[in-house]
Amino acid sequence: MSSNQDNTPFPLINDAQLSQISAAVSGLNKEQLIWASGYLAGLSQGSTALASVPAQAAPANILTVLFGSQTGNSKHAAMAYAESAKAKGYTTNVVSMSDYKPRKIKDETHLVVFVSTHGEGDAPDDAVELHEFLASKKAPKLDKLKYAVVGLGDTSYEFFCQTGKDFDARLKALGATPLIDRLDCDVEFEAEFAAWTEKLNAILADTLTPSAAVIAPSAVAKAVATATYTKQNPFTATLSESIKITGRDSVKDIRHIEISLEDSGIQYQVGDALGVYFLNSPDVVSRIIQASQNKPDDSVTISEQTYSLEQALKEKLELTLSYPGFVKAYQAASKNEALLAVLDDKTALRAFLDERQIVDIVEQFPADIAAQDLVDALRPLSPRLYSIASSQSEVEDEVHLTVAHIDYEAFGFRHQGGASGYLCTHLEQGGEIKVYVENNDNFRLPQDPNVPVIMVGPGTGIAPFRAFMQERDAQGAEGKNWLFFGNPNFTQDFLYQTEWQAYLKSGLLSKISLAFSRDQANKIYVQDRMLEQGEQLYKWLESGAHFYVCGDAMRMAKDVEAALLTIIEKHGKKSAQEAKQFLLEMRKAKRYQKDVY
């Protein structure tokens, strides 16, 4: 049946206008689409309260929200806070530190900083320039600035929230006035963050005048947000494949994991990460229950929900990564004097935690502790993030990961990583697993497919570069591609060897430099291969190549950066300071990007 009635959902928009709208949003990710929908709703009501002002706008009566983020957590927190401030009528300017001119800070009157920490207390890449500027002699007096700082980190690491502490100390030293005490966020921080947000917004009422009408989030924004799978609302996917891709005699157990996203509608970009929820080992759960002298069916409460102790330990709580907060809470509940002695020596405590999982601590210091006290001492289970090793241009409704299976003997028992043990041994093919995509806009291929790319990814750091090559292949990209890859042995550890050889043969991969550290008497690493190829590598950089690093943040990434600076200095005929500035300019231009952990 036909009808002359116009059923188009855009009766007031002509074809030309619709084309303009489509073009304008074509490159936006889901978070940006949600923001845009709120912005348009604001325009329809005669206000732009939901929109951030331009990055370089005059800051009068404006709350500037800066974020420095390696994996996206600080960005998400900053955006969430900005929405709460907008709901109070404040005009906000949300800016990545990578897009912020450090000298502009002297013009700010109200500032909220969100920043993560990685490595050994290092600032995330997009925060480096501002971080260094505030510590330099060029930093201005900031006696007119009122500020707040949120640091994001993980107490299982030694330098917990160090970058947030740095920003707080430097702003205060320059004369700025804190609006509220700095908030240091552990892995799970939603409740304390919500309370801090409410308190800060109330304090702002005394110093910052609301200048925009309060607008409720649009129905479109709510609908999109509800439909999006997130950390709080993961998708239940299924495991398709778990294949060991290292040799029988390898010192490493690395798996290629394939997960089906069928019927989810999930879209991801190369460079993104996959958040993976997991279940704790039943054996570990049983050992903890026994050592704490409890019963599996003891009733406990977590966030006002009731569970059996066994279910809570298996599904809801962190049992793999140990951290100071657990030792402190467990000691307080158990009153163990020997454990108190460990707590009193920070250096000894760090070494103690590095060698032990939660189960080891409980078994070393067994106690008759109430089930609820045990649960209260533990923090919520956190999903693990894995760099995505596939492009949807090739694998469609699948997502691939490259997972190092943590598996070793200690204290008389087998120890496995939480997520890696679950993915590699506990989850059967076809089994369900909860996942979500973590966008990483700090690790993207060049928009121009003809731009050269240099990729440094030893070990499982190869994962995103497999995705890069699949995407470049699908694009018909003509830009040159150069891979630096390293692992212990050629015959045992050349991950995805046949794929790389095929790319090399087809010409898509222009050059590959391999560093197998144990195949000769002297160990050779990717940074050594970089130095050997320094002259050619610098020529690629001069021609506009983008440089990417993925893998270990503590050692490899730092060694690679040191080698890169040496190459720029030597082959670019620059001073050490000029080489550092060259690299800074690359970072600001998004030509030097890292995905490190």
Side-chain angles (χ1 to χ4, degrees):
M1 179 183 294
S2 63
S3 170
N4 293 326
Q5 184 178 352
D6 184 2
N7 291 317
T8 174
F10 307 104
L12 301 180
I13 298 176
N14 61 38
D15 290 343
Q17 291 171 323
L18 182 57
S19 295
Q20 287 179 319
I21 293 171
S22 298
V25 303
S26 62
L28 301 184
N29 61 32
K30 290 178 181 176
E31 292 171 347
Q32 293 165 329
L33 287 170
I34 293 170
W35 179 92
S37 68
Y39 173 73
L40 293 173
L43 290 179
S44 72
Q45 299 182 44
S47 170
T48 57
L50 288 181
S52 296
V53 300
Q56 302 307 322
N61 209 36
I62 288 172
L63 177 64
T64 296
V65 181
L66 291 179
F67 63 87
S69 183
Q70 197 70 36
T71 62
N73 285 338
S74 295
K75 175 184 175 182
H76 299 328
M79 293 175 69
Y81 171 72
E83 287 301 317
S84 76
K86 290 171 190 174
K88 298 294 185 182
Y90 300 118
T91 302
T92 64
N93 181 22
V94 187
V95 192
S96 167
M97 291 184 189
S98 63
D99 299 323
Y100 187 79
K101 292 183 179 179
R103 294 184 184 275
K104 290 290 295 181
I105 199 166
K106 69 180 184 300
D107 300 323
E108 305 288 357
T109 60
H110 294 78
L111 176 69
V112 184
V113 172
F114 291 80
V115 67
S116 61
T117 298
H118 73 104
E120 297 178 318
D122 300 323
D125 287 349
D126 52 4
V128 168
E129 185 179 14
L130 182 60
H131 185 261
E132 292 182 351
F133 174 78
L134 292 177
S136 73
K137 294 179 180 179
K138 296 179 181 180
K141 288 293 182 183
L142 300 174
D143 51 315
K144 296 180 181 179
L145 177 66
K146 294 178 174 63
Y147 76 93
V149 173
V150 177
L152 284 85
D154 183 338
T155 51
S156 61
Y157 291 94
E158 182 175 359
F159 299 95
F160 174 63
C161 288
Q162 185 59 51
T163 309
K165 295 172 184 177
D166 291 346
F167 271 98
D168 188 22
R170 291 171 187 179
L171 290 170
K172 195 175 297 181
L174 293 169
T177 303
L179 289 159
I180 188 173
D181 289 341
R182 184 188 69 249
L183 178 64
D184 294 336
C185 296
D186 200 358
V187 176
E188 299 294 331
F189 57 88
E190 285 77 7
E192 58 181 335
F193 178 62
W196 183 91
T197 292
E198 186 175 348
K199 186 176 180 180
L200 176 57
N201 284 340
I203 291 170
L204 283 172
D206 295 330
T207 63
L208 189 64
T209 305
S211 57
V214 177
I215 299 177
S218 71
V220 175
K222 288 182 177 179
V224 174
T226 301
T228 303
Y229 293 106
T230 64
K231 181 179 180 181
Q232 292 73 31
N233 179 39
F235 173 69
T236 302
T238 55
L239 178 70
S240 301
E241 295 282 357
S242 176
I243 306 167
K244 186 177 180 182
I245 54 174
T246 44
R248 182 176 59 185
D249 298 323
S250 175
V251 296
K252 296 183 176 184
D253 178 3
I254 297 178
R255 306 293 180 98
H256 171 73
I257 304 292
E258 297 184 2
I259 294 171
S260 172
L261 302 176
E262 189 174 0
D263 298 328
S264 70
I266 289 176
Q267 297 292 308
Y268 58 85
Q269 298 182 61
V270 296
D272 285 342
L274 190 74
V276 174
Y277 281 95
F278 58 94
L279 302 179
N280 287 309
S281 162
D283 178 59
V284 169
V285 169
S286 177
R287 287 165 55 197
I288 290 177
I289 292 174
Q290 183 175 353
S292 62
Q293 300 182 35
N294 285 293
K295 297 178 180 178
D297 58 356
D298 285 343
S299 180
V300 295
T301 301
I302 301 174
S303 299
E304 301 181 355
Q305 295 291 319
T306 301
Y307 304 92
S308 71
L309 178 60
E310 182 178 43
Q311 182 186 12
L313 293 176
K314 183 178 180 180
E315 300 176 9
K316 300 297 180 181
L317 299 167
E318 178 63 65
L319 303 183
T320 308
L321 296 176
S322 54
Y323 48 98
F326 170 74
V327 180
K328 184 177 180 180
Y330 183 75
Q331 192 283 324
S334 65
K335 305 296 190 293
N336 189 291
E337 293 299 321
L339 198 53
L340 183 61
V342 175
L343 275 170
D344 287 340
D345 186 336
K346 288 187 177 181
T347 302
L349 175 61
R350 185 56 55 184
F352 175 84
L353 294 173
D354 286 345
E355 295 173 351
R356 291 167 176 81
Q357 294 183 346
I358 296 292
V359 64
D360 301 314
I361 299 171
V362 176
E363 288 186 328
Q364 185 175 347
F365 302 97
D368 183 359
I369 179 174
Q372 189 63 52
D373 288 341
L374 174 65
V375 165
D376 290 343
L378 294 163
R379 72 184 184 191
L381 184 147
S382 294
R384 304 299 193 256
L385 291 177
Y386 290 99
S387 302
I388 291 176
S390 56
S391 164
Q392 282 189 300
S393 299
E394 179 162 323
V395 304
E396 298 181 347
D397 58 359
E398 292 182 359
V399 62
H400 298 176
L401 308 176
T402 309
V403 175
H405 181 200
I406 299 171
D407 189 8
Y408 61 95
E409 292 289 327
F411 307 107
F413 290 95
R414 183 186 187 185
H415 287 60
Q416 292 180 285
S420 69
Y422 185 64
L423 283 167
C424 298
T425 62
H426 299 301
L427 187 64
E428 298 289 339
Q429 184 173 330
E432 294 184 344
I433 184 165
K434 293 181 178 180
V435 301
Y436 64 96
V437 172
E438 186 72 52
N439 293 321
N440 186 359
D441 291 332
N442 293 322
F443 204 74
R444 293 285 186 239
L445 276 169
Q447 290 186 347
D448 182 353
N450 297 320
V451 170
V453 164
I454 301 169
M455 304 166 285
V456 182
T460 55
I462 198 70
F465 303 132
R466 180 178 185 263
F468 276 22
M469 294 302 289
Q470 289 182 359
E471 183 70 10
R472 297 274 266 189
D473 194 21
Q475 290 175 340
E478 296 185 5
K480 296 187 296 183
N481 302 288
W482 185 353
L483 174 70
F484 287 85
F485 173 73
N487 237 350
N489 300 106
F490 174 84
T491 57
Q492 302 294 320
D493 306 303
F494 192 169
L495 307 183
Y496 303 111
Q497 179 181 356
T498 56
E499 293 183 23
W500 292 113
Q501 288 175 332
Y503 286 136
L504 199 60
K505 185 176 180 180
S506 72
L508 182 66
L509 183 63
S510 311
K511 189 175 178 63
I512 188 168
S513 297
L514 302 171
F516 292 102
S517 58
R518 301 188 185 183
D519 279 352
Q520 59 285 309
N522 57 315
K523 291 186 177 179
I524 297 175
Y525 300 103
V526 286
Q527 60 268 24
D528 300 314
R529 295 302 189 206
M530 286 172 57
L531 291 168
E532 291 172 3
Q533 301 283 336
E535 183 176 1
Q536 188 175 5
L537 195 154
Y538 182 72
K539 287 180 179 178
W540 278 51
L541 296 180
E542 272 196 314
S543 70
H546 286 218
F547 189 93
Y548 300 88
V549 186
C550 182
D552 170 50
M554 295 295 190
R555 297 179 183 175
M556 181 278 297
K558 292 185 176 181
D559 291 339
V560 165
E561 182 162 312
L564 192 55
L565 286 168
T566 298
I567 289 167
I568 294 167
E569 184 177 346
K570 178 180 178 180
H571 298 285
K573 297 181 172 56
K574 302 179 187 296
S575 67
Q577 186 57 39
E578 288 171 336
K580 187 176 180 180
Q581 184 61 33
F582 183 94
L583 199 59
L584 177 60
E585 294 301 324
M586 283 186 60
R587 183 183 283 117
K588 289 168 65 176
K590 308 291 188 184
R591 290 181 52 214
Y592 176 39
Q593 300 184 38
K594 295 188 290 186
D595 177 10
V596 295
Y597 37 84

